[in-house]
């Protein structure tokens, strides 16, 4: 697959890289003996879970590690050795022979300077003859190259006036401004919606090919790897465990860790793949949750914003409904409205058959005691000053008269149910791992044996292997306890795995809903189709075909629009 | 246009705030035990004399009537007559306020032109000996009361090393004050020291916050040197929060002026306020508080406005 000529100078070569961080608790070895080579025009993906050291490798190449890092080994970019100690040489190399695209486009740009000035900076850093005017013209050309519409106007805009995807395009424009030999992309699409992600990946691919730039892609997303990379290097606890062509590593992994990692990746079932049918939910009893033509409007007057627009949802006893959509689609707002945190501007919310808008006082409290909620960020949703036992027992304190002994017994049962060792009971949230914390959240949500569980992006912040175990705990408990679940997520593959029915949201509306097998396999709505087509699947061969189909579809749309 | 609408809105809010402040101060003053009569007429005064004074000044009427009366005259621009000094409050204020303004503005300018570079410099050298030394120094300056600091300055610079006069300029006009620059040094420096400590700490932490921002890494990845990143990117971003702080600092600045003017016998509003509080001279106290509350409100208005001018994100949300 690799089209490189043997003997040519590699764009990047890393030999025996070691990185040690000195911390208060002693030295931590983050990267151990990593060696890799990326040739001009080639895309190498560096994958691994959080803490595997993949970003550390990327930052060492740029010489941007924090001050407490010590590195050894040899890094060469386009034949020149990277010597962090030589600040002047580093400044000369950064932005000229190597550029970098970062994860979070919302914070990667200086909020107080126009994007034109920020692009011009990298141009003038390396071309002393460039005047303000020529650098500005170059910035406009670069904005055109990265596909920003109306670049002459946009060049004077501030980052806050651009969408997330456009900001990432600006960051890319900065990275490629001086046609670097090496482009480092550290989780370049992780913070973006899937449809935006697909466009950004297309842009990176086109630019890299055009300039024959080597790309070091750091990512945890196997779909992105399958879509973009030619070779893959897998990192685990600071070591490189496997490296090879993308087809080999993703389809025929050799190392046990790679195999485990790939097993844990939730796979999007697509048309043609087989799937066991699930039991249709019973619609005999009163629905657990009903949203009836609900509107939610934020603000008032000219600045008002309709977050939910005539949303109707219904959730039967014991059923799991997946609520999917991109950021800003209103899926979290729907979840918050369902549990009474937001009051609908119009329409009704019925919880267990009772209208949340009319019940008050003790009756309302009793209703709310029958639901549990698990939020995205386990760090932010657990009180750092409460022990695990106190965190889990809190709903009991609020809703039930119970003795300390009863609470202790119940907490013990739940820790067992979420497969946490009893020893964590006296610990504090910061002493637990991300997956353990999210299990504590689940235990807390389930302590009152709720009839409805709301999971809002419950596994989005977790590594895939941890996500897999948390999802299996959730499924097992649902089978045992029979609660209904509103499963809110942007990840279509996870929703396919968890939910029997699904509702797709866009701009505050439900555009399509129905059984998961039909809605997410053969969608009727065009937006759902686009959404599904944009999800990269972790199989390079299938993904190449999907990408070509998607691009062909887009070109067709464009030619239709262009027709008189 | 947007900025104009924003200013009109904020100015409206400011009027309401000042109005509420007058109510609170009026109530507080009148709840003082003893009242002004005893202070003005002295301990020898008979109950009849006190009663007569209260009747003449209208102090025997119900509080609500007194307040409405005061407000009515205020709206006509009449701040009343001092009980003690043979002058109208407006005359006293128009004489004294510019002097306090000169002292406060000079102190603030001196303080900021030292504190901001020092804070920036400390942040760039975080946790190195120079940073620790300056931190220790600023804590000392921060923890020392202004009056004590002033006394130390007087002893050191007028007694041990008799380089500077201990009395501030006594001129009647603002220009007259500048005729004696040497006499201004000690009051201005005393007023500035505490502010240097506060604002250098503030600038240091604001800069440190910004140094860990992602956009700094992006700038470094462009090949911009650390020095230029600090100057071009971090400096302005760090300044935005310092500017907000400055607006809220105005009452503190006045509190400092109160002590500094007393120490160096500087005939500004602080000294006027101090003397009026001894009596208590209600109309003068009310007049001063009015000026301070207006200054505070204008200060935070200016801070917001500056923020709007330097930060495009605030501009959009308005």
């Amino acid at each position: 697959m690799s089209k490189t000529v043997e003997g040519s100078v590699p764009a990047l070569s890393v030999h025996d890289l070691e990185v040690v961080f000195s911390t208060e608790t002693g030295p931590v070895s983050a990267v151990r003996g990593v060696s890799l080579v990326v040739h001009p025009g080639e895309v190498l993906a560096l994958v691994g879970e959080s803490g595997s050291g993949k970003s550390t490798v990327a930052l060492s190449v740029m010489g941007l590690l924090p001050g407490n890092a010590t590195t050894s080994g040899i890094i060469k970019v386009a034949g020149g050795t990277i010597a962090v100690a030589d600040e002047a040489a580093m400044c000369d190399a950064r932005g000229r022979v190597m550029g970098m695209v970062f994860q979070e486009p919302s914070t990667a740009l200086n909020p107080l300077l126009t994007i034109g000035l920020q692009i011009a900076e990298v141009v003038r850093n390396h071309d002393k003859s460039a005047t303000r005017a020529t650098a500005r013209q170059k910035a406009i050309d670069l904005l055109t190259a990265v596909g920003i519409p109306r670049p002459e106007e946009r060049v004077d805009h501030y980052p806050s006036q651009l969408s997330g995807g456009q900001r990432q395009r600006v960051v890319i424009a900065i990275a490629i401004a001086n046609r670097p030999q090496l482009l480092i992309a550290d989780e370049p699409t992780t913070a973006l919606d899937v449809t935006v992600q697909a466009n950004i990946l297309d842009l990176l691919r086109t630019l890299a090919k055009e300039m024959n730039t080597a790309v070091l892609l750091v990512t945890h997303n196997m779909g992105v790897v399958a879509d973009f990379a030619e070779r893959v290097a897998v990192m685990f606890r600071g070591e490189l465990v496997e490296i090879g062509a993308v087809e080999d590593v993703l389809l025929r992994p050799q190392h046990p860790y790679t195999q485990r990692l790939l097993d844990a990746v939730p796979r999007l079932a697509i048309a043609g793949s087989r799937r066991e049918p699930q039991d249709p939910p019973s619609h005999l009893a009163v629905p657990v949750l009903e949203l009836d033509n609900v509107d939610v409007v934020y603000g008032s007057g000219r600045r008002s914003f309709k977050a939910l627009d005539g949303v109707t949802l219904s959730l039967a006893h014991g059923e799991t409904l997946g609520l999917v959509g991109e950021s800003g689609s209103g899926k979290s707002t729907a979840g918050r409205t369902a549990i009474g945190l937001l009051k609908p501007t119009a329409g009704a919310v019925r919880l267990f058959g009772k209208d949340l808008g009319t019940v008050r006082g003790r009756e309302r409290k009793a209703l709310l005691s029958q639901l549990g909620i698990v939020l995205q960020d386990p760090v932010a949703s657990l009180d750092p000053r409460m022990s695990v036992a106190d965190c889990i027992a809190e709903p009991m304190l609020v809703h039930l008269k119970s003795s300390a002994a009863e609470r202790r017994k119940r907490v013990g049962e739940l820790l067992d149910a979420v497969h946490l060792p009893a020893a964590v009971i006296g610990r504090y949230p910061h002493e637990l791992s991300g997956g353990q914390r999210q299990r504590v959240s689940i235990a807390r949500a389930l302590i009152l044996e709720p009839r409805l569980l709301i999971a809002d992006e419950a596994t989005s912040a977790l590594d895939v292997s941890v996500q897999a175990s948390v999802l299996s705990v959730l499924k097992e408990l649902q089978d045992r306890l029979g609660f209904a679940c509103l499963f809110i997520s942007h990840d279509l593959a996870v929703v396919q795995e968890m939910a029997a029915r699904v509702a797709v949201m866009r701009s505050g509306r439900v555009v399509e809903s129905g059984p998961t097998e039909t809605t997410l396999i053969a969608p009727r709505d065009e937006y759902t189709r686009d959404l599904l087509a944009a999800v990269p699947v972790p199989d390079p061969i299938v993904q190449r075909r999907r990408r070509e189909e998607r691009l062909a579809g887009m070109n067709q749309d464009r030619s239709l629009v262009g027709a008189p | 246009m947007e900025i104009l609408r924003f200013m009109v809105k904020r100015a409206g809010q400011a009027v309401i705030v000042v109005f509420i402040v007058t109510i609170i101060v009026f109530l507080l003053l009148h709840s003082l035990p003893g009242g002004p009569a005893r202070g003005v007429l002295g301990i020898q005064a008979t109950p009849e004399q006190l009663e007569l004074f209260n009747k003449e000044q209208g102090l025997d009427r119900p509080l609500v009537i007194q307040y409405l009366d005061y407000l009515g005259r205020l709206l006509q621009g009449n701040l009343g007559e001092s009980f003690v000094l043979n002058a109208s409050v407006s005359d006293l204020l128009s004489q004294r306020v510019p002097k306090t303004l000169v002292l406060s503005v000079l102190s603030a300018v001196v303080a900021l032109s030292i504190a901001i570079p020092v804070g920036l410099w400390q942040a760039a050298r975080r946790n190195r000996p120079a940073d620790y030394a300056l931190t220790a120094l600023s804590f000392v300056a921060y923890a020392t009361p202004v009056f004590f600091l002033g006394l130390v300055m007087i002893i050191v610079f007028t007694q041990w090393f008799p380089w500077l006069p201990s009395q501030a300029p006594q001129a009647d006009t603002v220009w007259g004050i500048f005729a004696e620059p040497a006499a201004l040094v000690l009051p201005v420096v005393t007023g500035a020291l505490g502010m240097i400590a506060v604002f250098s700490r503030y600038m240091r932490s604001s800069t440190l916050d910004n140094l860990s921002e992602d956009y700094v890494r992006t700038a470094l990845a462009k090949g911009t040197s650390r020095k230029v990143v600090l100057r071009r990117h971090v400096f302005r971003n760090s300044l935005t929060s310092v500017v907000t702080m400055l607006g809220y600092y105005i009452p503190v600045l006045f509190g400092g002026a109160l002590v500094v003017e007393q120490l160096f016998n500087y005939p500004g509003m602080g000294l006027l306020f101090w003397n009026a509080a001894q009596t208590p001279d209600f109309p003068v106290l009310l007049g001063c508080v009015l000026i301070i509350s207006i200054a505070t409100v204008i200060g935070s208005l200016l801070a917001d406005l500056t923020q709007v001018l330097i930060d495009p994100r605030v501009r959009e949300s308005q």
Side-chain angles (χ1 to χ4, degrees):
Chain A
M1 186 59 217
S2 186
K3 299 171 289 270
T4 48
V5 187
E6 289 299 322
S8 71
V9 178
L12 169 67
S13 79
V14 175
H15 183 70
D16 206 15
L17 178 68
E18 305 260 350
V19 181
V20 178
F21 290 107
S22 57
T23 67
E24 282 171 20
T25 51
V28 174
S29 164
V31 175
R32 282 177 291 199
V34 166
S35 300
L36 50 84
V37 171
V38 192
H39 292 283
E42 184 187 46
V43 180
L44 174 75
L46 197 54
V47 303
E49 297 189 289
S50 48
S52 63
K54 57 189 193 303
S55 286
T56 308
V57 171
L59 288 173
S60 349
V61 175
M62 290 296 286
L64 288 177
L65 286 174
N68 62 343
T70 342
T71 49
S72 66
I74 298 164
I75 301 174
K76 284 186 179 176
V77 176
T81 306
I82 294 296
V84 184
D86 187 350
E87 178 71 17
M90 286 309 294
C91 284
D92 178 55
R94 291 186 199 128
R96 189 174 60 82
V97 295
M98 53 189 181
M100 185 155 181
V101 179
F102 301 94
Q103 173 168 356
E104 193 52 72
S106 57
T107 54
L109 295 167
N110 182 343
L112 302 188
L113 293 179
T114 63
I115 57 171
L117 286 175
Q118 298 191 54
I119 301 174
E121 184 179 12
V122 70
V123 174
R124 299 184 76 188
N125 274 349
H126 301 287
D127 178 4
K128 298 300 170 203
S129 68
T131 62
R132 213 167 274 209
T134 56
R136 184 187 152 88
Q137 188 50 50
K138 184 88 192 288
I140 295 174
D141 295 344
L142 282 162
L143 286 175
T144 316
V146 297
I148 298 266
R150 293 176 286 118
E152 293 85 1
E153 191 185 316
R154 287 296 184 155
V155 73
D156 294 319
H157 280 194
Y158 291 93
S160 52
Q161 292 168 286
L162 272 57
S163 70
Q166 286 176 329
R167 278 181 222 166
Q168 195 64 313
R169 284 171 192 268
V170 173
V171 176
I172 291 172
I174 290 171
I176 60 148
N178 296 313
R179 305 179 77 88
Q181 274 94 328
L182 174 68
L183 182 64
I184 299 175
D186 188 358
E187 303 274 9
T189 57
T190 305
L192 305 172
D193 281 326
V194 273
T195 50
V196 183
Q197 162 171 289
N199 294 334
I200 294 289
L201 289 177
D202 288 340
L203 172 68
L204 281 173
R205 183 175 15 251
T206 315
L207 291 170
K209 283 281 159 290
E210 200 179 285
M211 301 185 305
N212 200 32
T213 294
V215 179
L216 179 68
L217 172 74
V218 177
T219 185
H220 71 283
N221 186 327
M222 295 300 172
V224 170
V225 173
D227 187 65
F228 193 12
E230 284 147 10
R231 286 198 307 135
V232 186
V234 183
M235 284 191 73
F236 178 56
R237 292 189 186 158
E239 281 171 39
L240 203 66
V241 295
E242 184 162 0
I243 184 162
V246 66
E247 289 86 355
D248 291 335
V249 176
L250 289 196
L251 301 178
R252 294 171 290 276
Q254 298 301 311
H255 193 276
Y257 172 72
T258 318
Q259 290 165 354
R260 259 188 291 139
L261 186 67
L262 285 165
D263 275 344
V265 174
R267 304 208 170 225
L268 185 77
I270 47 180
S273 68
R274 231 154 39 92
R275 225 188 131 76
E276 49 211 280
Q278 280 167 302
D279 295 335
S282 84
H283 287 287
L284 299 170
V286 181
V288 171
L289 169 71
E290 267 185 295
L291 264 65
D292 189 2
N293 218 3
V294 168
D295 285 2
V296 169
V297 179
Y298 288 128
S300 62
R302 202 163 42 90
R303 280 201 215 143
S304 71
F305 168 72
K306 208 165 193 178
L308 290 187
D309 187 358
V311 168
T312 299
L313 292 173
S314 159
L315 188 53
H317 179 74
E319 182 192 29
T320 299
L321 174 69
L323 198 55
V324 302
E326 296 187 289
S327 50
S329 63
K331 54 190 193 303
S332 284
T333 306
R336 292 166 64 93
T337 311
I339 57 174
L341 282 177
L342 285 172
K343 237 177 131 153
T345 320
V349 178
R350 278 184 291 275
L351 209 52
F352 316 114
K354 301 236 172 63
D355 189 337
L356 256 187
T358 56
V359 292
R360 298 268 180 279
R362 203 171 298 166
E363 199 186 353
R364 186 184 174 87
K365 199 175 163 192
L367 269 188
L368 296 179
S369 75
Q370 297 179 61
L371 41 92
I373 182 155
V374 181
L375 297 167
Q376 173 169 0
D377 188 345
V379 183
S381 58
L382 295 173
D383 188 331
R385 282 174 194 80
M386 279 165 81
S387 70
V388 166
D390 291 341
C391 281
I392 297 178
E394 200 183 10
M396 273 180 96
L397 274 175
V398 175
H399 287 288
L400 298 178
K401 280 203 179 73
S402 55
S403 69
E406 280 169 337
R407 285 197 296 272
R408 206 167 328 132
K409 181 164 165 278
R410 195 76 189 100
V411 167
E413 286 167 15
L414 276 151
L415 281 179
D416 200 38
V418 296
H419 304 305
L420 279 176
V424 304
I425 201 158
R427 292 209 203 137
Y428 285 85
H430 71 266
E431 298 173 286
L432 305 181
S433 71
Q436 286 178 322
R437 273 185 225 133
Q438 201 58 313
R439 284 182 215 200
V440 170
S441 289
I442 293 174
R444 176 177 61 181
L446 296 180
I447 193 161
L448 296 177
E449 302 197 335
R451 290 162 66 192
L452 171 62
L453 182 76
I454 313 256
D456 190 352
E457 300 279 9
T459 58
S460 304
L462 307 175
D463 276 327
V464 278
S465 60
V466 182
Q467 163 171 283
S469 69
V470 169
L471 288 177
S472 83
V473 164
L474 210 53
K475 259 195 278 191
E476 179 192 319
L477 290 172
Q478 194 179 13
D479 286 345
R480 223 171 75 195
L481 305 171
F483 52 82
C485 180
L486 181 63
F487 193 87
I488 303 169
S489 177
H490 73 283
D491 190 329
L492 299 180
V494 170
V495 169
Q496 273 186 344
E497 203 178 308
M498 295 298 289
R501 271 198 321 129
V502 65
V504 183
M505 290 193 66
R506 185 195 195 183
S507 319
R509 291 201 188 90
V510 174
V511 296
E512 183 168 8
S513 68
T516 310
E517 300 97 282
T518 54
T519 307
L520 291 190
I521 302 288
R524 278 166 293 132
D525 184 81
E526 197 184 332
Y527 173 69
T528 317
R529 262 200 294 268
D530 289 347
L531 202 59
L532 276 166
V535 178
V537 297
D539 178 326
I541 298 164
V542 177
Q543 178 55 24
R544 202 168 303 137
R545 201 190 67 224
R546 280 167 60 83
R547 186 174 71 227
E548 277 153 16
E549 283 169 10
R550 187 174 59 83
L551 291 174
M554 274 166 60
N555 289 335
Q556 202 177 9
D557 288 351
R558 223 169 272 154
S559 62
L560 283 176
V561 172
Chain B
M1 200 54 225
E2 284 293 307
I3 289 182
L4 198 71
R5 189 180 303 133
F6 166 77
M7 276 181 68
V8 169
K9 198 174 121 196
R10 284 300 314 264
Q13 289 171 349
V15 170
I16 296 170
V17 169
V18 171
F19 172 73
I20 293 170
V21 168
T22 61
I23 296 182
I24 295 171
V25 173
F26 201 85
L27 288 176
L28 281 178
L29 277 183
H30 284 83
S31 62
L32 283 177
R38 177 68 70 188
V40 174
L41 301 176
I43 45 168
Q44 305 280 311
T46 62
E48 290 75 28
Q49 284 173 311
L50 294 178
E51 205 176 310
L52 187 69
F53 177 85
N54 282 342
K55 205 172 169 66
E56 273 174 1
Q57 300 294 339
L59 294 168
D60 55 345
R61 294 172 300 164
L63 214 50
V64 181
I65 305 289
Q66 284 189 51
Y67 177 71
L68 290 177
D69 185 43
Y70 177 75
L71 197 64
R73 276 185 289 149
L74 189 64
L75 291 177
Q76 296 162 25
N78 183 355
L79 291 166
E81 298 280 323
S82 164
F83 290 162
V84 185
L85 304 163
N86 190 19
S88 76
V89 175
S90 338
D91 283 349
L92 286 170
L93 287 178
S94 61
Q95 222 176 66
R96 303 292 193 104
V97 170
K99 289 185 194 160
T100 296
L101 217 56
V102 166
L103 186 66
S104 305
V105 169
L106 274 180
S107 298
V109 168
V110 168
L112 290 180
S113 50
I114 294 170
I116 288 172
V118 165
L120 202 65
W121 194 78
Q122 273 187 275
R125 280 160 194 74
R126 186 193 187 180
N127 295 348
R128 290 208 231 142
D131 178 32
Y132 286 131
L134 282 167
T135 297
L137 212 62
S138 64
F139 276 133
V140 169
Y142 189 47
T144 315
V146 179
F147 70 87
F148 182 73
L149 213 63
L151 286 176
V152 170
M153 302 281 276
I154 290 174
I155 292 171
V156 173
F157 293 104
T158 70
Q159 306 299 314
W160 295 356
F161 308 99
W163 297 336
L164 295 164
S166 67
Q167 173 151 298
Q170 297 296 309
D172 279 338
T173 60
V174 171
W175 296 118
I177 297 170
F178 288 108
E180 297 176 66
L184 266 178
V185 172
L186 282 184
V188 167
V189 169
T190 307
L193 274 175
M195 197 172 170
I196 294 174
V198 173
F199 278 84
S200 66
R201 295 302 298 162
Y202 209 71
M203 186 68 189
R204 178 182 179 273
S205 68
S206 176
T207 307
L208 283 178
D209 285 348
N210 274 290
L211 276 174
S212 63
E213 288 286 336
D214 285 352
Y215 68 80
V216 170
R217 202 178 48 182
T218 310
L220 288 172
K222 294 183 205 177
T224 311
S225 72
R226 283 179 197 274
K227 225 180 241 166
V228 177
V229 169
L230 198 66
R231 196 182 65 218
R232 194 180 290 162
H233 296 277
V234 175
F235 176 63
R236 218 173 121 199
N237 274 289
S238 309
L239 218 50
T240 51
S241 48
V242 172
V243 164
T244 323
M245 181 74 176
L246 196 58
Y248 301 123
Y249 200 75
I250 285 177
V252 185
L253 212 56
F254 173 75
L258 199 78
V259 180
V260 171
E261 291 182 12
Q262 171 75 4
L263 265 173
F264 296 97
N265 193 27
Y266 182 85
M269 189 176 66
L271 202 58
L272 180 70
F273 187 86
W274 176 265
N275 291 332
Q278 310 295 317
T279 312
D281 192 346
F282 280 6
V284 173
L285 289 177
L286 274 170
C288 288
V289 170
L290 203 65
I291 295 288
I292 299 160
S293 62
I294 291 172
T296 306
V297 169
I298 290 178
S300 60
L301 189 69
L302 284 179
D304 287 354
L305 206 66
T306 324
Q307 190 112 54
V308 168
L309 290 177
I310 48 184
D311 194 337
R313 287 165 300 178
V314 184
R315 221 174 298 158
E316 276 157 53
S317 64
Q318 290 306 327

